[in-house]
Amino acid sequence: MNIRPIHNENDYNAALVRVDALWDAIPGSPESDELEILAVLIDNYEGESVLESDPIEAITYFMEQRGL
């Protein structure tokens, strides 16, 4: 398991490729743990990326996430 923070689009795309490779991991396996950690990192990066985009898009995103 070689997990690193996601700092840019290249890291993000590499994480997505790895998630695709791990998608059918057996629950409880090391691969499943890696998948779960990558999902958290990706979610965090996507949330931060929205903040750097258009302010209206950011507001819309957060409203949708909260069911508003």
Side-chain angles (χ1 to χ4, degrees), residues 13-54:
N13 290 326
L16 292 176
V17 168
R18 184 64 181 149
V19 163
D20 189 46
L22 295 169
W23 193 253
D24 293 323
I26 297 169
S29 68
E31 292 82 7
S32 176
D33 291 344
E34 182 180 358
L35 177 61
E36 186 175 345
I37 293 166
L38 284 171
V40 170
L41 291 172
I42 290 168
D43 184 56
N44 185 56
Y45 180 78
E46 289 174 343
E48 290 175 359
S49 294
V50 169
L51 292 176
E52 296 173 4
S53 64
D54 178 73

